[in-house]
Amino acid sequence: LGNGIEFLGGGKNVLIENCSFNNIFDSGATFQGGISSDCEVENFTVRNSVFNKCGLGSFEYWLGSIGTAKNILIENNYMENAGMGIGGTDVRLSGSKEQNAHIRADGINRTSDFIIKRNYFDNTSESAYLVVLSRKTTEGGEFPVFINNAYIQGLNKKLMLIKNDGVNTEYIFDDAAYDNLIDTIDNRPIVIYK
C-alpha cells in the first residue's frame, strides 16, 4: 500500500509519461518532503498519463518546511475517480483530516514555474474534491498556474478546497463553478456537468 510513483526528499530531471495508474491506495504520482527532511524538486514532468481510482490524490505534492520546487509541468493527463478504489474515502481511517483530490497539495509550497495545463479532472467520490491547493504566502508559498483544464463533476459535488495562509475556502461544483475557477486558479477552464 502506498503511492504509485513517489519521490521522497526530491528529484531532478524526472519524466513520467504515457503511464497508467489504477486503484492506488495513496497517490498515483507524488513528490514530498520527508518527516525530518525537505524536498528539492527541479524539472519534474507528468504528461500523457491516466490516473484512475487513486485513493488520496492523482497527483500530490508537499515540500516540507523549507523545500522548493521549480520547473514543474503536469499536462495532458486524464484523472478520474479520485478518492475511490482500495484507498478511497470509504476505507480511510474514520475522522481522517486528509482531503482527497485529483491535484492535492499540503503545506507552504515554495514553487516557481509550476504549470498544470490541459488535464481532465473527471469525477470524485462524494467527499473528495477535484483540486486541493495549499500555500503560505508569508513564507514564500505559491500556487501552480492552471491553464485550460477540464473540470468534470456531478452538480453540487465538491469542486476545490483552497488553503491560503491558514484560511480554508471550499467551492462546490454548481452554477458558479466556471466563475469560481476563473476567479481563483484557472483563467481558461472547461466546465462539464455530469
Side-chain angles (χ1 to χ4, degrees), residues 109-173:
N109 293 314
R110 291 178 188 87
T111 64
S112 61
D113 298 317
F114 190 161
I115 298 172
I116 297 174
K117 67 180 182 178
R118 294 191 303 270
N119 298 284
Y120 288 84
F121 307 130
D122 186 357
N123 196 40
T124 65
S125 68
E126 289 300 319
S127 61
Y129 298 87
L130 291 175
V131 175
V132 173
L133 296 178
S134 177
R135 73 175 176 187
K136 291 185 182 175
T137 59
T138 56
E139 298 183 45
E142 291 296 328
F143 288 144
V145 174
F146 284 70
I147 302 169
N148 201 214
N149 295 286
Y151 303 83
I152 307 161
Q153 183 76 297
L155 189 62
N156 296 319
K157 287 179 73 177
K158 295 181 177 188
L159 170 59
M160 62 184 161
L161 177 64
I162 305 296
K163 299 185 277 187
N164 192 17
D165 293 322
V167 176
N168 293 354
T169 306
E170 181 179 72
Y171 297 87
I172 302 300
F173 203 81

Side-chain angles (χ1 to χ4, degrees), residues 48-66:
N48 302 325
S49 294
V50 175
F51 298 80
N52 182 37
K53 295 183 179 176
C54 295
L56 191 54
S58 297
F59 176 76
E60 174 192 23
Y61 66 98
W62 57 280
L63 299 167
S65 60
I66 60 171

Side-chain angles (χ1 to χ4, degrees), residues 61-96:
Y61 66 98
W62 57 280
L63 299 167
S65 60
I66 60 171
T68 60
K70 60 184 178 180
N71 299 321
I72 311 302
L73 178 61
I74 311 300
E75 73 171 336
N76 297 325
N77 298 289
Y78 184 75
M79 301 176 182
E80 63 181 333
N81 303 319
M84 298 182 185
I86 63 169
T89 55
D90 57 335
V91 297
R92 295 231 171 233
L93 295 175
S94 177
S96 173

Side-chain angles (χ1 to χ4, degrees), residues 1-14:
L1 298 179
N3 299 304
I5 295 178
E6 174 182 318
F7 291 86
L8 184 61
K12 289 188 177 185
N13 303 318
V14 174

